[in-house]
Amino acid sequence: GNSVTQMEGPVTLSEEAFLTINCTYTATGYPSLFWYVQYPGEGLQLLLKATKADDKGSNKGFEATYRKETTSFHLEKGSVQVSDSAVYFCALRLNRDDKIIFGKGTRLHILP
Amino acid sequence: DVKVTQSSRYLVKRTGEKVFLECVQDMDHENMFWYRQDPGLGLRLIYFSYDVKMKEKGDIPEGYSVSREKKERFSLILESASTNQTSMYLCASSPTVGNTQYFGPGTRLTVL
């Protein structure tokens, strides 16, 4: 079936460290891929997305590249800030419908 | 800005009570969704709706029903609340199929 697997957290980093959160997927067809972020006490916000192979999504210093050959969509940021502390969800949507399949989420703590 | 609002941020109910969770979006979106979010399980789709008076089961519809009498409002109903329905409930909307989903802030429901 279709699924998303992302690294378990929590992930704890110091401010200005390099961040990678791994995400791999299993899907029939050619899904669109997303990263959502949930800040404390809030709902989910779309962080970035990519709709086809080799696309790179980017926003707020975060990047992720759609890698069809490795079925991956790893989230990266070169220098994290305390304000990046949140839960990050990798997700996919099959292009034939509107249902989104989410990973389990990765909690990120950034220490000052 | 797209705004999705949910009627309560926190709710405490007793086992067997009928519970209504309300969601309203102000952007004339066609599609609306209800998810529940549990630690270690990520987000799971309960029900969604493509139009007024239309509803589709998601991945975990058991124990829930929904109502969409007006385009902007999508209600989740727990006919007889049980303790295993204690969770965070998130509502989302999207303009049309294949578009970005926008999330509300969530309702944390506790069933005693």
Side-chain angles (χ1 to χ4, degrees):
Chain A
N2 303 304
S3 65
V4 174
T5 303
Q6 59 183 106
M7 62 191 291
E8 291 192 22
V11 174
T12 302
L13 296 172
S14 297
E15 204 165 22
E16 300 183 3
F18 184 86
L19 168 71
T20 301
I21 301 178
N22 290 337
C23 172
T24 57
Y25 67 90
T26 302
T28 53
Y30 302 96
S32 296
L33 302 175
F34 306 85
W35 277 101
Y36 280 83
V37 59
Q38 184 178 33
Y39 297 105
E42 298 183 14
L44 273 68
Q45 301 173 26
L46 179 65
L47 180 60
L48 53 84
K49 67 179 181 181
T51 57
K52 61 182 188 296
D54 300 324
D55 269 2
K56 178 187 283 189
S58 61
N59 186 23
K60 299 182 181 181
F62 291 89
E63 293 183 340
T65 301
Y66 190 143
R67 300 281 187 206
K68 187 166 178 287
E69 64 277 12
T70 54
T71 61
S72 65
F73 193 54
H74 304 320
L75 183 68
E76 296 182 336
K77 186 174 185 181
S79 177
V80 292
Q81 306 300 312
V82 172
S83 57
D84 293 327
S85 298
V87 181
Y88 292 82
F89 292 91
C90 186
L92 69 83
R93 185 183 64 220
L94 298 171
N95 289 329
R96 65 174 182 269
D97 63 29
D98 210 22
K99 293 169 66 173
I100 295 182
I101 297 168
F102 288 88
K104 294 181 179 180
T106 302
R107 185 174 296 278
L108 176 65
H109 293 291
I110 306 300
L111 303 175
Chain B
D1 276 356
V2 176
K3 196 165 178 69
V4 179
T5 57
Q6 296 183 227
S7 51
S8 306
R9 293 299 298 271
Y10 300 93
L11 207 54
V12 179
K13 296 292 181 181
R14 298 209 172 273
T15 301
E17 280 193 76
K18 189 170 186 175
V19 182
F20 293 86
L21 302 182
E22 305 285 341
C23 175
V24 177
Q25 49 92 5
D26 66 357
M27 289 303 293
D28 202 36
H29 284 178
E30 299 288 334
N31 307 328
M32 297 187 75
F33 308 81
W34 274 107
Y35 296 88
R36 61 177 284 176
Q37 180 183 6
D38 299 288
L41 296 177
L43 274 75
R44 294 177 291 168
L45 182 64
I46 305 171
Y47 266 97
F48 58 106
S49 169
Y50 286 143
D51 201 350
V52 175
K53 296 194 186 294
M54 291 183 65
K55 60 185 179 185
E56 298 280 345
K57 292 180 179 179
D59 299 317
I60 52 164
E62 296 79 18
Y64 303 95
S65 62
V66 290
S67 172
R68 194 165 181 202
E69 296 296 320
K70 294 185 178 181
K71 191 175 186 181
E72 67 271 18
R73 187 180 298 269
F74 192 37
S75 303
L76 180 70
I77 303 159
L78 287 66
E79 295 289 342
S80 177
S82 63
T83 55
N84 62 12
Q85 292 178 309
T86 292
S87 186
M88 169 72 87
Y89 289 88
L90 292 167
C91 175
S93 71
S94 68
T96 56
V97 172
N99 264 287
T100 298
Q101 291 187 18
Y102 297 87
F103 283 81
T107 296
R108 186 168 293 282
L109 172 67
T110 301
V111 182
L112 302 176

